Amino acid sequence: MTIAVEQHVDAEVATVWRTVSDVDRWAELLPTIDEIRRIDDAGPVAVGSRFRIRQPGLSAATYEITDWRPGAGFTWVARTPGVRTRASHELLPEGSATRLRLSIDWAGPAARLVELLYGKRTQRLLTQEATTFASLAAGNGGAR
């Protein structure tokens, strides 16, 4: 099961990437993140970096970056009993603008249950994140 949202961002990919890739500050930037902290040493974010994330109305989860492509996007994965959550953040150039695509994919024996319980909320959170990233990258502040 995959949930995805796309958002036109009136800013170049490099500008959008600066905001999206600033994972350590997401709790300050995004209304959808209550807390985010590194589990491993500070330093450049890269494949293998792990973060503990708390979001409104959801259990805390540990995400590990599995794909880090500066200027193009990243993917991270969280595992809980019965379900693997894969979240992707993709930046696609559109001339001097960017198309931001955020997606969540659930897999495993409990994926269908997670979809039923959290699908609509996840859609709202992704939409809110995409809108906030777009606003921040365009220099219009954030929704926090």
Side-chain angles (χ1 to χ4, degrees):
M1 164 66 197
T2 300
I3 295 174
V5 300
E6 290 191 4
Q7 173 76 42
H8 172 83
V9 183
D10 200 17
E12 293 184 355
V13 168
T15 302
V16 179
W17 176 249
R18 278 194 296 277
T19 303
V20 171
S21 67
D22 195 2
V23 180
D24 290 305
R25 291 190 53 227
W26 278 15
E28 299 168 40
L29 302 174
L30 298 172
T32 58
I33 304 289
D34 288 332
E35 179 184 15
I36 188 165
R37 67 177 171 79
R38 292 243 197 154
I39 293 175
D40 306 311
D41 294 331
V45 177
V47 170
S49 295
R50 295 183 308 148
F51 295 84
R52 183 81 170 158
I53 300 172
R54 267 191 330 99
Q55 293 184 271
L58 300 174
S59 298
T62 299
Y63 281 84
E64 180 175 342
I65 295 183
T66 59
D67 178 40
W68 185 259
R69 292 168 290 122
F74 76 94
T75 300
W76 54 13
V77 173
R79 297 182 193 316
T80 55
V83 69
R84 175 193 55 90
T85 303
R86 182 176 162 269
S88 294
H89 312 74
E90 299 174 79
L91 286 68
L92 307 166
E94 292 186 330
S96 62
T98 304
R99 170 123 340 245
L100 175 63
R101 184 176 194 276
L102 305 179
S103 65
I104 295 276
D105 177 70
W106 294 300
R112 179 72 178 138
L113 178 60
V114 169
E115 173 194 348
L116 291 171
L117 293 173
Y118 299 107
K120 289 181 181 176
R121 177 182 298 198
T122 298
Q123 180 79 39
R124 284 192 306 270
L125 290 173
L126 287 178
T127 299
Q128 196 172 11
E129 287 177 7
T131 300
T132 302
F133 280 135
S135 180
L136 288 166
N140 300 322
R144 190 101 171 119

